Amino acid sequence: MIQVAEAVFAERGYTAASMDEIAERVGVSKPMLYEYFNSKEGLLLACIREARAELRRVTAQAVANSPTGEEALRQGLLAFFGFIRDRRQAWSLVRHEASLVGTAAEELETTRQQQTDLIATLMGDFTDPETARMAEESGLLQAAAEFVVGGCERLAIWSEQRSDLTPEIVAEYAVNLLWGGLAHIADR
Amino acid sequence: MIQVAEAVFAERGYTAASMDEIAERVGVSKPMLYEYFNSKEGLLLACIREARAELRRVTAQAVANSPTGEEALRQGLLAFFGFIRDRRQAWSLVRHEASLVGTAAEELETTRQQQTDLIATLMGDFTDPETARMAEESGLLQAAAEFVVGGCERLAIWSEQRSDLTPEIVAEYAVNLLWGGLAHIADR
DNA sequence: AGTCCACCTTACTCGAAGTAGGTTACTTCC
DNA sequence: GGAAGTAACCTACTTCGAGTAAGGTGGACT
């Protein structure tokens, strides 16, 4: 059910996708969808949750057992950009999640936060404990995690339009930028 | 007209905002809106374009005449996060622009690219010419610009939920992360 | 057999996007 | 001055899709 909905949302876009079509393609009638998901937004939300969960699973696995922070970053990003390429539909949902509004939007933030929390924790692990504690209290760790996610998502959208770039190259760019910072590029 | 539409979209969200309401609040009838903007999407697009143009103006001005790359970055980010705080409505549109789909979405990418181009050029200016040329050819400059924009947008959304953070603090976080990179935080 | 209940459907309402066709008021030309 | 044309605008519709109400079908339990 969610799979079909994912496909329809991805190919038509949220607004243009009709519940009638989804119901028909699933092979049930519309009230059934409402029974399970309450509303169109609810259905989209369920799809996005699913997609995000998968993304989280994939990256968490990739990151596990990296000896250094830089290596963890590289592996995580590789997994992320690979996901973008291989699961276009799922990614398309995550990308357009901003269409949601109101209650659904708040629920979504929760889901999203699981992702950033993962990253924030991870960064904490690779940081000197005292520094980490301070960074956490000031919110810097959270900020950094948000930053990583936002930057990479944007980078992913950008890279979709450039067929010459493989996930490996994009991941390498991202590691360079993120790890070394702009200071490594701009020197004046 | 665009001002009113901006307000309605911002307070109701794209889907929930009705053309009837906008028309009424503007003081004209619905067909007039369609005359000028062709469709609901067209209207939203016009609003977003306006908002982005303003954002670009503000940041470009802030960045001008900075002696170093780091300073330019700081000033630009300050302007950006200030904009978020002072022009909530406009920002809300930019934030939700992903709702657009199809032709409108493509037009939007153009608008957005003006922003990233600005940043890419700027970074080029602060970089050793030879390095800059190489970075430009490989697409690294573009990638970096996308990254900056994405990261900061996400950071802005995050900071909206934390009332204890001023634009100055958030900008400072962003500068730290962007300029120095994660290597400065994570040390293992 | 009869009753109940979970499950699913058809067939509706209602609201909002988009449009057709008419009206007013103003300009232009005879 | 008045007829013809036109720009700007409105009222009143059509259409489409989200969400719902009320009813049917088959199995389980008494």
Side-chain angles (χ1 to χ4, degrees):
Chain A
M1 220 162 187
I2 290 191
Q3 275 181 0
V4 174
E6 178 181 305
V8 176
F9 279 136
E11 71 190 53
R12 298 242 192 275
Y14 178 67
T15 315
S18 91
M19 293 296 268
D20 285 302
E21 179 178 357
I22 295 173
E24 191 179 352
R25 275 167 64 168
V26 171
V28 305
S29 68
K30 202 155 51 129
M32 282 301 94
L33 293 181
Y34 283 90
E35 177 83 10
Y36 296 136
F37 303 103
N38 291 313
S39 65
K40 193 180 181 186
E41 281 210 335
L43 177 53
L44 178 58
L45 184 59
C47 292
I48 293 180
R49 253 211 281 265
E50 195 78 8
R52 272 209 176 274
E54 189 182 342
L55 176 55
R56 218 164 46 236
R57 220 163 32 236
V58 171
T59 48
Q61 196 182 352
V63 162
N65 306 324
S66 296
T68 67
E70 189 177 2
E71 188 56 23
L73 184 62
R74 173 170 290 112
Q75 293 305 324
L77 290 177
L78 254 176
F80 175 70
F81 290 111
F83 180 85
I84 306 303
R85 185 195 47 192
D86 300 333
R87 296 286 328 269
R88 272 274 163 81
Q89 287 181 0
W91 163 240
S92 162
L93 291 188
V94 172
R95 224 194 111 171
H96 291 103
E97 67 186 14
S99 328
L100 288 176
V101 163
T103 330
E106 284 160 35
E107 275 207 63
L108 195 62
E109 280 306 311
T110 313
T111 308
R112 176 173 206 120
Q113 212 159 17
Q114 294 178 352
Q115 180 108 45
T116 53
D117 282 351
L118 182 75
I119 299 181
T121 310
L122 199 67
M123 286 192 304
D125 292 345
F126 285 110
T127 307
D128 159 67
E130 181 58 16
T131 315
R133 208 187 48 73
M134 281 176 53
E136 177 152 11
E137 280 192 1
S138 66
L140 182 60
L141 268 189
Q142 277 294 329
E146 293 285 344
F147 200 90
V148 172
V149 172
C152 289
E153 283 181 3
R154 196 60 225 169
L155 211 50
I157 294 172
W158 172 76
S159 71
E160 276 181 336
Q161 295 165 339
R162 308 207 21 170
S163 48
D164 54 328
L165 298 173
T166 63
E168 287 75 20
I169 297 179
V170 182
E172 199 50 42
Y173 282 1
V175 171
N176 279 342
L177 292 168
L178 260 174
W179 194 255
L182 292 182
H184 281 201
I185 304 178
D187 45 13
R188 263 191 285 175
Chain B
M1 220 160 185
I2 289 190
Q3 275 181 359
V4 174
E6 180 183 303
V8 177
F9 279 136
E11 72 188 55
R12 298 244 191 274
Y14 177 67
T15 316
S18 90
M19 293 296 265
D20 284 305
E21 179 178 357
I22 296 173
E24 191 180 352
R25 274 165 66 166
V26 170
V28 304
S29 69
K30 206 157 46 132
M32 282 301 94
L33 294 181
Y34 283 90
E35 177 82 8
Y36 295 137
F37 304 103
N38 292 313
S39 67
K40 193 181 182 185
E41 280 209 334
L43 177 53
L44 177 59
L45 184 60
C47 291
I48 294 179
R49 253 211 283 264
E50 196 76 9
R52 273 210 175 274
E54 190 183 340
L55 176 56
R56 217 163 49 235
R57 220 164 31 237
V58 171
T59 49
Q61 196 182 354
V63 162
N65 306 322
S66 296
T68 66
E70 189 177 1
E71 187 57 22
L73 183 62
R74 173 169 291 114
Q75 293 304 325
L77 290 178
L78 255 176
F80 175 70
F81 290 111
F83 180 86
I84 306 302
R85 186 194 47 190
D86 300 333
R87 296 287 328 269
R88 273 275 164 80
Q89 287 182 0
W91 164 240
S92 161
L93 291 189
V94 172
R95 227 195 107 168
H96 292 103
E97 67 186 15
S99 330
L100 288 175
V101 162
T103 330
E106 283 160 36
E107 274 207 62
L108 197 61
E109 279 307 311
T110 314
T111 309
R112 178 173 205 120
Q113 211 159 18
Q114 294 178 353
Q115 181 110 43
T116 51
D117 281 352
L118 181 75
I119 298 181
T121 310
L122 199 67
M123 287 192 301
D125 292 345
F126 285 110
T127 307
D128 158 69
E130 182 57 17
T131 315
R133 208 188 46 73
M134 282 174 53
E136 177 153 10
E137 280 192 1
S138 65
L140 181 60
L141 268 189
Q142 277 293 329
E146 293 286 343
F147 200 90
V148 172
V149 172
C152 290
E153 283 181 2
R154 197 61 224 168
L155 211 48
I157 293 172
W158 172 75
S159 71
E160 277 181 335
Q161 296 165 338
R162 309 209 16 172
S163 49
D164 54 326
L165 298 173
T166 64
E168 287 75 20
I169 297 179
V170 181
E172 199 51 41
Y173 282 1
V175 171
N176 278 343
L177 292 167
L178 261 173
W179 193 255
L182 291 182
H184 281 202
I185 304 179
D187 45 15
R188 263 192 284 177

